[in-house]
Amino acid sequence: MSSHPRRNPRALAVVLAAQLSASAAWAQQSTPPSTASPPPADAPAPAAPQSPEEAPALSPEEMAEIERALGTDTSTRARPSGDTSPASPTATNDSGTTPLKLPNAISGGTNFLNLSFILDMALAAFSSKEPLQGGGHDPTRNGFNLQQLELSIGSVVDPYFRFDSNIVFSQFGVEIEEAYVTTLDLPANLQVRAGQFLTRFGRINATHPHAWDFVDQPFVMSRYFGAEGNRGLGVEGSWLTPLPWYVEVIGSATDATGEATARSFFGASAERVLSPLDFQLTGAVKQFFPLSDDLSLMWGLSAATGPNDTGYRNHSTIYGTDLYLKFRPITSQSAQQLVLQAEVLYRRRQVPEDVLSDWGGYAQTVWRFSNRWATGLRYEFGSPAKTQEGRIATDPLDPEWISNRQRITAAVTFWPTEFSRLRLQAATDRVGWRESPDYSAFLAFEVVTGAHGAHAF
Amino acid sequence: MRSLRLFAALCAAVVSLTAVPARADLKVVATLPDLAALAKAVGGDKADVTALALPTQDPHFVDAKPNLALALNRADLLIAAGLDLEIGWLPTLQMGARNNRIQTGNPGYLDASRSVSLLEVPAGQVDRSQGDVHPGGNPHYLYDPRQALKVAVAIEARMSQLDAKNAATYKANLGKFTQELQTAQAGWEKRLAGLKGVPVIAYHRTTAYLQDWLGFKTIAFLEPKPGIPPNPSHVAQVLAQGKSSQVKLVLKEDYYPDNIAKLVASKVPAALVTLPGGTDFRTGQTYVQRMDLMVGRLEKGLSGKGE
């Protein structure tokens, strides 16, 4: 019963993996000119003549020289990573939405909906029998993992609203991750979103896996918010202030329930909303500073508060700050870019007769050293929960979390084009309450197909 | 009485602080510096023009920085090159700008490609296996002054529609610009008459309109498919084609890498010509000056003196 339904996705995964690497190799190597018979689909592009009689008669030395020159051409243009557009340039949300439609040539004239599919899968190896991977899209077991198949559908509804949704297919079912309406025409620089959405707490929470620089989610996110990141059914308002620099103020009220999405709050418990205090309230301020043409800084402050299920009117509050520093030279020819990103979160929870506090965070740097290659390093930290007196508490959510946990991750990414990605990642997880460090290695593939989403900053 | 006067003074102070100092009538944001230069030529001192991309930047890949959204938030008119050239970054900015005036379809949004005679519009089916093909047609039309003039005409019409009280100024500016451009164009054509029929190699498909204007022949591209970086076997093929067709020029924009273009140019041998990626709008360069610079470089390349 269990083996048969599991085999299919695995087989699919293998085939996909093989095809992906083959196509990547194709993109990298291209075909030798002797076999260059272009596929019929190539016909419409007014391509340069590729007549076979002009086959190159180059010496091996010349070939070597070409390869050397290509190797030194690191300044090929930088491509943005494959994240797609949010409703606001500070939103790192990547709901695959774009107000532009599929060109008629592709959609055959019917272009009301933007559709895109994103497939993420990974081959994983863990040293531990029970790897501590908390994220819902993380690879969690040895062998092939289908991280997600995301279907993004979006469209402008009318002059006043647009609609976006992200539906995620896993091997075990279908989930509506996000489905919301965004206003298009509110006065005074206001914008409202209503529906189910990822809250804009910090930087990484509002993003989907294809916008991540690593295969898995920082553990602080799954520990504080849940496997799927913090999201809920609710309303969000945001305001772009009239200040001379970019300042966006965001506030939302969402249902505080959901085991995978509101872990520090009501979580899976069947609590009901009895008063406005029973909502999760999230607030954030995002500021952007263009330090120069090449260097930009984004700084965010966030807070979320909501009821938890440890007793009547007990609240959890999470504070966070996030920093994103990007160096991408555009004043001179260069493909390099260097990004530093960090988030620190601090959590306080009221529990019967005490207040527990803990903190965690991550800092990462990603260096894109050519247009197709990037490498990244991430450090994560999580402290155990402490009581008001400073003793290590028994955490009702993570009873085993009695000492510090640190994880160091390194990754290398290769993009054949901006629509596909291969990533090799390795990590060591120093879990304080385990006897020895855990190790993991992932080889992840991603393809994005469908409407071209715009890229968030 | 005194308190009233104090109040009045305070009001005056607040008003003078908040009053915008002598602002232009029309706030214009253009995606490309070339479009900004055309908008400035038409708008003159009645328009406050900003360009989102730099000339040193590949217009396909611009970061959707929030400060660009801020510029759009305050804009009356957004001019875009269209044809999906900016699809990777402009939609995010447009949405984030919270400015209904500049949304696609409204009078504050001008798709400049609508006014040009398009080239390389794919006739058949298009998919991404062909690389970064623009299904609506080739978006690099501002290399041809005849197309640029059509864009300027469209900009004039839109500016006059949005800001009717300055319509006469815009019209006069357009007239001046037309004359300047056409005079210059005649000179450029004379200087580059020798380009007719000359075989060249280009890096990306940016040369369609330029060759349509000047009559040279692009026989190969260094990119195997649009947007896909060169690879050794393709470059070898291009090099062989270049040798057998006796290519005279290798063309590439500022923002494309040097080395492979240099190598091919030296092996053929041909002159390497670096085309300006756009008008250096921020330093006050005009569209005519930018074209003049490009024509100069082409002329030098044609006489065998590449870089």
Side-chain angles (χ1 to χ4, degrees), chain A residues 26-33 36 39 41-42 44-51 54-58 62-63 65-67 69-70 72-73 75-80 84-90 98-101 103 105-106 159 162 182-186 189-191 200 238-246 248 288 290 292-296 298 326 328 330-333 337 371-372 416-419 448-457, chain B residues 52-58 60-70 73-74 84 86-101 103-104 106 109 119-136 203-205 218-221 223-245 252-264 266-267 274 282:
Chain A
W26 157 280
Q28 174 80 318
Q29 303 276 322
S30 184
T31 44
D42 258 355
Q50 296 200 336
S51 35
E54 289 179 286
L58 296 179
E62 282 180 307
M63 277 309 282
E65 206 174 337
I66 290 174
E67 290 187 27
L70 277 169
T72 52
D73 259 345
S75 47
T76 338
R77 71 185 158 239
R79 287 160 187 283
T84 47
S85 93
S88 145
T90 64
T98 150
L100 295 191
K101 294 157 187 157
I106 291 179
R162 68 166 284 121
T182 310
T183 60
L184 291 177
D185 194 14
L186 284 190
N189 286 342
L190 291 166
Q191 199 159 50
R200 289 181 57 195
S238 59
W239 179 50
L240 180 60
T241 68
L243 290 166
W245 73 101
Y246 190 96
E248 193 186 3
F288 178 80
S292 75
D293 285 332
D294 298 338
L295 189 65
S296 334
M298 184 118 87
K326 182 172 189 175
R328 179 186 169 197
I330 54 172
T331 46
S332 62
Q333 187 198 88
Q337 60 186 47
N371 71 324
R372 283 179 153 177
T417 69
E418 59 187 299
F419 304 106
V448 179
T449 177
H452 187 310
H455 309 280
F457 180 73
Chain B
L52 296 181
L54 290 179
T56 48
Q57 202 172 10
D58 184 342
H60 298 87
F61 301 102
V62 173
D63 279 334
K65 290 185 195 173
N67 60 320
L68 304 183
L70 206 59
N73 175 253
R74 288 148 199 194
D84 293 353
E86 302 104 336
I87 196 171
W89 49 282
L90 190 60
T92 300
L93 293 176
Q94 265 179 298
M95 264 300 261
R98 298 152 202 246
N99 176 356
N100 199 38
R101 294 191 299 274
Q103 297 304 326
T104 312
N106 289 351
Y109 176 80
L119 295 178
E120 295 189 352
V121 185
Q125 223 193 333
V126 172
D127 67 40
R128 289 195 189 130
S129 68
Q130 297 153 35
D132 190 13
V133 174
H134 294 273
Y203 192 94
H204 180 74
R205 277 173 205 286
T218 313
I219 60 135
F221 297 95
E223 288 181 339
K225 289 176 178 181
I228 307 286
N231 60 62
S233 63
H234 177 75
V235 173
Q237 197 185 347
V238 171
L239 186 48
Q241 270 176 280
K243 280 179 176 168
S244 65
S245 333
K252 73 163 206 57
E253 274 70 21
D254 287 333
Y255 46 75
Y256 289 117
D258 281 306
N259 291 328
I260 200 70
K262 263 187 199 149
L263 177 77
V264 169
S266 72
K267 291 269 162 188
T274 304
R282 270 203 310 211

Side-chain angles (χ1 to χ4, degrees), chain A residues 24-210:
Chain A
W26 157 280
Q28 174 80 318
Q29 303 276 322
S30 184
T31 44
S34 54
T35 60
S37 61
D42 258 355
Q50 296 200 336
S51 35
E53 69 268 14
E54 289 179 286
L58 296 179
S59 65
E61 294 82 56
E62 282 180 307
M63 277 309 282
E65 206 174 337
I66 290 174
E67 290 187 27
R68 252 199 327 276
L70 277 169
T72 52
D73 259 345
T74 48
S75 47
T76 338
R77 71 185 158 239
R79 287 160 187 283
S81 48
D83 40 350
T84 47
S85 93
S88 145
T90 64
T92 31
N93 182 357
D94 50 339
S95 41
T97 64
T98 150
L100 295 191
K101 294 157 187 157
L102 274 177
N104 283 347
I106 291 179
S107 64
T110 54
N111 49 17
F112 285 107
L113 286 179
N114 290 312
L115 287 176
S116 61
F117 272 103
I118 298 157
L119 176 71
D120 287 280
M121 52 173 296
L123 177 60
F126 293 97
S127 68
S128 162
K129 270 187 199 148
E130 291 172 47
L132 283 176
Q133 295 291 112
H137 300 299
D138 290 0
T140 48
R141 59 196 181 95
N142 281 330
F144 288 104
N145 289 258
L146 178 68
Q147 293 175 266
Q148 66 159 3
L149 170 62
E150 181 184 311
L151 167 63
S152 294
I153 307 174
S155 171
V156 172
V157 176
D158 57 24
Y160 311 106
F161 300 105
R162 68 166 284 121
F163 167 77
D164 291 289
S165 65
N166 294 292
I167 297 161
V168 167
F169 299 83
S170 73
Q171 279 162 299
F172 313 104
V174 178
E175 187 174 19
I176 299 171
E177 273 206 339
E178 293 192 282
Y180 57 84
V181 164
T182 310
T183 60
L184 291 177
D185 194 14
L186 284 190
N189 286 342
L190 291 166
Q191 199 159 50
V192 170
R193 283 202 294 167
Q196 174 152 302
F197 50 85
L198 287 158
T199 58
R200 289 181 57 195
F201 187 107
R203 185 166 176 91
I204 220 164
N205 184 61
T207 61
H208 293 209
H210 52 101

Side-chain angles (χ1 to χ4, degrees), chain A residues 12 42 72 136 169 212 261 266 270 277 308 311 328 355 371 377 410:
Chain A
L12 176 73
D42 258 355
T72 52
F169 299 83
W212 298 347
T261 57
F266 271 161
L277 291 176
N308 67 47
R328 179 186 169 197
V355 176
N371 71 324
L377 195 67

Side-chain angles (χ1 to χ4, degrees), chain A residues 274-289:
Chain A
L274 298 173
S275 83
L277 291 176
D278 291 340
F279 286 117
Q280 181 198 321
L281 303 175
T282 309
V285 179
K286 316 255 177 193
Q287 297 190 68
F288 178 80
F289 306 95

Side-chain angles (χ1 to χ4, degrees), chain B:
Chain B
M1 195 58 191
R2 232 173 92 197
S3 66
L4 194 70
R5 202 176 293 166
L6 194 69
F7 179 71
L10 207 67
C11 281
V14 167
V15 165
S16 63
L17 272 177
T18 49
V20 187
R23 49 158 296 187
D25 296 321
L26 207 57
K27 276 195 179 343
V28 182
V29 173
T31 56
L32 308 182
D34 277 347
L35 290 172
L38 293 174
K40 192 70 198 168
V42 174
D45 54 1
K46 302 291 179 207
D48 174 9
V49 183
T50 316
L52 296 181
L54 290 179
T56 48
Q57 202 172 10
D58 184 342
H60 298 87
F61 301 102
V62 173
D63 279 334
K65 290 185 195 173
N67 60 320
L68 304 183
L70 206 59
L72 284 184
N73 175 253
R74 288 148 199 194
D76 302 305
L77 174 61
L78 165 64
I79 308 173
L83 302 172
D84 293 353
L85 180 66
E86 302 104 336
I87 196 171
W89 49 282
L90 190 60
T92 300
L93 293 176
Q94 265 179 298
M95 264 300 261
R98 298 152 202 246
N99 176 356
N100 199 38
R101 294 191 299 274
I102 51 111
Q103 297 304 326
T104 312
N106 289 351
Y109 176 80
L110 178 63
D111 177 348
S113 71
R114 293 292 173 86
S115 46
V116 307
S117 325
L118 295 175
L119 295 178
E120 295 189 352
V121 185
Q125 223 193 333
V126 172
D127 67 40
R128 289 195 189 130
S129 68
Q130 297 153 35
D132 190 13
V133 174
H134 294 273
N138 189 314
H140 305 284
Y141 48 81
L142 290 167
Y143 288 80
D144 179 350
R146 299 167 304 174
Q147 307 302 334
L149 192 56
K150 290 182 188 170
V151 171
V153 170
I155 291 174
E156 189 275 325
R158 193 58 65 87
M159 282 184 173
S160 301
Q161 181 192 342
L162 292 173
D163 179 23
K165 70 175 192 300
N166 288 320
T169 314
Y170 300 138
K171 206 166 174 109
N173 288 345
L174 177 66
K176 239 182 352 200
F177 174 72
T178 308
Q179 207 178 9
E180 188 195 357
L181 185 65
Q182 280 173 342
T183 313
Q185 189 188 325
W188 296 332
E189 281 165 7
K190 211 178 286 163
R191 283 159 71 189
L192 294 179
L195 258 183
K196 276 217 174 58
V198 167
V200 309
I201 291 171
Y203 192 94
H204 180 74
R205 277 173 205 286
T206 47
T207 49
Y209 297 88
L210 193 61
Q211 77 169 22
D212 184 59
W213 174 43
L214 296 171
F216 59 84
K217 254 173 58 199
T218 313
I219 60 135
F221 297 95
L222 290 174
E223 288 181 339
K225 289 176 178 181
I228 307 286
N231 60 62
S233 63
H234 177 75
V235 173
Q237 197 185 347
V238 171
L239 186 48
Q241 270 176 280
K243 280 179 176 168
S244 65
S245 333
Q246 299 184 324
V247 157
K248 291 275 178 307
L249 300 173
V250 177
L251 307 179
K252 73 163 206 57
E253 274 70 21
D254 287 333
Y255 46 75
Y256 289 117
D258 281 306
N259 291 328
I260 200 70
K262 263 187 199 149
L263 177 77
V264 169
S266 72
K267 291 269 162 188
V268 168
L272 175 64
V273 176
T274 304
L275 305 174
T279 311
D280 197 356
F281 177 69
R282 270 203 310 211
T283 62
Q285 197 182 43
T286 66
Y287 180 75
V288 173
Q289 287 166 343
R290 165 250 202 281
M291 291 298 285
D292 209 50
L293 181 67
M294 185 174 77
V295 167
R297 289 189 189 173
L298 282 169
E299 197 179 28
K300 239 175 85 187
L302 197 59
S303 65
K305 291 190 292 254
E307 292 135 65

